[in-house]
Amino acid sequence: MTRRIAVAGASMGGLRAAEQLRSAGWEEDIVVLGQESHPPYNRPPLSKELLAAPGSAAEALAAVTLRQRRTATGIDWRLGAPVTRADLSARTLTLATGEELAYDGLVIATGLRPARVEVPGPRHGRHVIRTIDDTLGLHRELCPGTRVVVVGAGFIGCEAAATATSLGCQVTLVEGGSGPMERPLGRRLSDGVRRFLAEKGVHCVSGRRVVEFLSETGDGYDAGSHLRCAGVRLSDGTEVPADVVIEAVGSKPNTEWLAGNGLDLADGVLCDESMRVIGARGALPSVVAVGDVARYPDQRTGTGARRVEHWATPADTAKIAAPALVAGLNGEAVPEPAAPLPSFWTDIFKIRIQGVGSPALAERIEVLEGDPDRPAAGAALGYYRDGRLIGAVTCALPADKQLHYRKLVTDAGVAARLAAV
Amino acid sequence: MRTIDVDRSLCDNHGQCAIAAPEVFRMNTDGVLEYEPTFDDALLDEVEEAIDVCPVQAIFLKD
C-alpha cells in the first residue's frame, strides 16, 4: 500500500519540505495542508517593495508566488485546509474541515503568526504584516500625510517605517525595550541605524513602550465599542496621534494543534540536529519540523536549541529534515546532518544590511571596516563569543564584501565539532 | 550541459547564488553578479540550490 507523508503548512517551509522529500527519493504520496488559500509565496517583499507598490491583488500575488522545482511533482496541495489537531500515536490529523487524515510521516511547517500588543484599546485600525492580504489592506491606508505609528523596531518594524515614510506618511517608530534591530545588530550599529532613520524623516521614540491604544473620542476606552484606534499612549504618558498603527512586535509559533502529544512546545517544537521532533522517549523517526516553528540545536555556537526566524531557515532545515524523515520511514540510518549557517538581510531606504551567523549571541563586537555611526557610508562588524568569530554584519557594502566576511565566519568553525576534536 | 538565465531586471545582487554555486555565480568587486550561462550537469544540485536561495527568484533554469 502506498504510504503518505503529510506536510502541515503550505508556506515556504512546506514547499521546500515537499521538494526536498522528492529530492531525497520519496516517490510515494505527499499531501500539503495550508491555512491560507494562496499557493506558497515569498514574504520579504510584504514590508518593502510590495507594501510600497502592490498593484492589483492578482499582480501582487504573481509578483511573490514562489516557483516550484520541476522535480516536485505529484504533490497534493490542499490550501485553506489547516490542521487543527494531531494524534501522533494514531498518526492522524484533524483538518479545519473536520476531515481526518491518516499519515505515515509528518512534516511540521506551520510557521508563525504575529504577536500582538496586548494593551487596552480599540482593535480597528491596527495592522500586522504577515500575509499578502495584510499588505494589501495596509497599503490602501498609507497615503501622503497619513500619520503612522509603528510599534516595534525589529526588521519588520524598521522596514515598514521606511516604506511608509517613502510613501509620504508621517511615521513615528516606537522602539520599546531596545533600539532599531538592536538584538541582531548590537547597540552601536543600532544607534547608527536610528540616526539614519531620523535623517530620513522617521521620528524614533526610544525607551518608552505603548501602554494603551487611544480611541477616536479621546474620553477613554469602551470595550464594547467598535471605535477606530486614533493613536497610542506611551509609558511616560505622552500621546501620539495616528491614523494607522502597525504592530511589529515579533511572532508566536503555531503549535497549538500539536498539544497533548507529549512534545516540548515551550517555544516552537523541539527537534534534534536532524530536525526530528523529540518525543517523550527521544527523537521520533516519523515526525520532523522545518522553518521558524522548529527549535533545534545550534551546532555552530554550541548554545543550545533555538528557533531561527530568517528567510533562509525553511530551505536550510528542509534539506536536513527530508532525508532524515525518509530514512526514518524506511528504517535506515539518518544521514549526518549539516550545521546550517544562518543568514539574513534587510533593505531600509535603499541601504542593505546583510548578516551571517549568530550576531545576537555575541559577547564582544568589533568594527571590521567603516564607521557604524554612519551606516549609509558602509560598515562591517564582527561578532565574537568565546574568542571566536560567530557572526558578521555588513551595511551598505557590496555583496562581495558580505561573501568575504561570511567566509571568515565559516572558517571559524562549528563549536560542537571544535569541542569534539 | 545546462543553461541558465538571470533576469537582470529582478536581480538585486544579494550574492546568495555565489554562496550556493560558486563555480557558476560570483560577485565582482563592485558587488555585481557575474555568471556562466552554461554549466555541467554535475553542478545541477548546486544551481538548483542557488535558484532556491535567490531572494528575488531571478535565476531561471532553461530546458
Side-chain angles (χ1 to χ4, degrees):
Chain A
M1 200 176 130
T2 309
R3 296 175 297 174
R4 172 191 288 149
I5 292 177
V7 180
S11 188
M12 192 188 227
L15 169 61
R16 295 291 181 244
E19 290 175 333
Q20 290 295 331
L21 286 167
R22 287 288 183 245
S23 294
W26 182 259
E27 294 177 349
E28 298 177 66
D29 290 355
I30 299 175
V31 54
V32 186
L33 306 150
Q35 175 160 21
E36 290 182 71
S37 58
H38 308 300
Y41 59 88
N42 204 21
R43 296 188 197 270
L46 299 186
S47 49
K48 303 189 277 284
E49 307 91 305
L50 206 75
L51 181 58
S56 70
E59 287 164 344
L61 188 61
V64 294
T65 296
L66 289 164
R67 294 208 312 272
Q68 304 186 8
R69 285 193 180 194
R70 282 182 287 188
T71 46
T73 53
I75 293 162
D76 180 8
W77 291 91
R78 299 203 197 167
L79 303 175
V83 180
T84 55
R85 212 174 69 81
D87 184 336
L88 300 191
S89 55
R91 296 194 182 188
T92 57
L93 302 176
T94 307
L95 310 187
T97 55
E99 183 189 349
E100 281 222 339
L101 188 80
Y103 66 84
D104 298 281
L106 175 64
V107 179
I108 296 166
T110 39
L112 312 176
R113 63 180 180 277
R116 301 302 302 246
V117 180
E118 303 290 350
V119 301
R123 195 97 179 178
H124 188 49
R126 292 161 51 191
H127 295 256
V128 294
I129 303 175
R130 180 71 188 174
T131 68
I132 190 166
D133 300 317
D134 292 338
T135 291
L136 291 169
L138 176 57
H139 172 80
R140 281 194 289 273
E141 299 205 18
L142 299 180
C143 305
T146 302
R147 298 166 305 169
V148 177
V149 167
V150 179
V151 188
F155 292 115
I156 304 226
C158 290
E159 290 166 359
T163 304
T165 303
S166 69
L167 289 170
C169 303
Q170 298 171 35
V171 179
T172 301
L173 178 63
V174 181
E175 295 172 11
S178 58
M181 303 181 283
E182 183 177 334
R183 206 175 64 85
L185 303 184
R187 170 65 70 86
R188 187 162 168 201
L189 184 52
S190 173
D191 286 346
V193 170
R194 180 190 294 114
R195 267 191 296 280
F196 174 70
L197 289 169
E199 285 164 19
K200 292 288 183 181
V202 178
H203 178 227
C204 296
V205 173
S206 308
R208 284 164 286 171
R209 59 196 173 79
V210 171
V211 296
E212 185 186 355
F213 291 104
L214 305 172
S215 61
E216 279 170 323
T217 57
D219 57 356
Y221 169 59
D222 173 1
S225 79
H226 296 282
L227 291 174
R228 191 182 164 90
C229 178
V232 297
R233 191 188 317 281
L234 303 177
S235 42
D236 65 351
T238 314
E239 293 186 1
V240 184
D243 307 302
V244 173
V245 172
I246 302 171
E247 299 178 32
V249 292
S251 309
K252 290 183 174 174
N254 293 320
T255 55
E256 288 79 2
W257 62 282
L258 289 162
N261 287 289
L263 306 182
D264 180 343
L265 303 176
D267 178 28
V269 57
L270 182 64
C271 305
D272 70 3
E273 63 276 3
S274 296
M275 307 311 300
R276 294 180 301 177
V277 170
I278 308 281
R281 288 187 297 276
L284 304 170
S286 59
V287 187
V288 295
V290 302
D292 42 22
V293 73
R295 178 161 46 103
Y296 55 100
D298 181 347
Q299 299 185 70
R300 287 189 172 268
T301 62
T303 50
R306 63 196 178 96
R307 295 188 304 102
V308 180
E309 293 185 8
H310 299 326
W311 180 82
T313 305
D316 287 344
T317 52
K319 273 199 296 183
I320 300 168
L325 179 58
V326 172
L329 294 176
N330 291 337
E332 295 162 358
V334 172
E336 178 77 15
L341 183 63
S343 64
F344 58 86
W345 85 94
T346 180
D347 294 326
I348 293 171
F349 291 117
K350 312 233 185 259
I351 71 164
R352 172 162 300 157
I353 299 174
Q354 287 180 293
V356 62
S358 303
L361 300 175
E363 296 160 342
R364 182 167 58 84
I365 302 173
E366 278 187 13
V367 178
L368 303 174
E369 152 172 11
D371 180 1
D373 299 337
R374 295 168 52 242
L381 293 94
Y383 299 76
Y384 297 82
R385 186 183 179 92
D386 299 328
R388 202 165 58 83
L389 185 69
I390 60 160
V393 170
T394 57
C395 196
L397 290 178
D400 61 304
K401 291 279 189 180
Q402 169 65 16
L403 266 60
H404 166 72
Y405 291 115
R406 180 191 173 93
K407 184 167 186 313
L408 297 185
V409 176
T410 308
D411 290 348
V414 175
R417 289 173 194 164
L418 291 175
V421 172
Chain B
M1 297 294 279
R2 297 269 194 153
T3 305
I4 43 162
D5 184 34
V6 175
D7 184 337
R8 292 283 184 174
S9 73
L10 294 173
C11 175
D12 204 11
N13 295 306
H14 279 258
Q16 298 301 301
C17 53
I19 297 163
E23 292 93 338
V24 179
F25 304 95
R26 65 188 159 272
M27 309 308 291
N28 70 19
T29 51
D30 295 324
V32 174
L33 172 68
E34 295 173 349
Y35 68 100
E36 304 293 336
T38 59
F39 64 90
D40 194 89
D41 282 5
L43 294 171
L44 183 59
D45 277 357
E46 287 180 28
V47 171
E48 291 216 315
E49 187 175 338
I51 292 170
D52 283 357
V53 298
C54 175
V56 292
Q57 300 195 88
I59 308 166
F60 294 82
L61 189 60
K62 299 292 186 191
D63 290 316

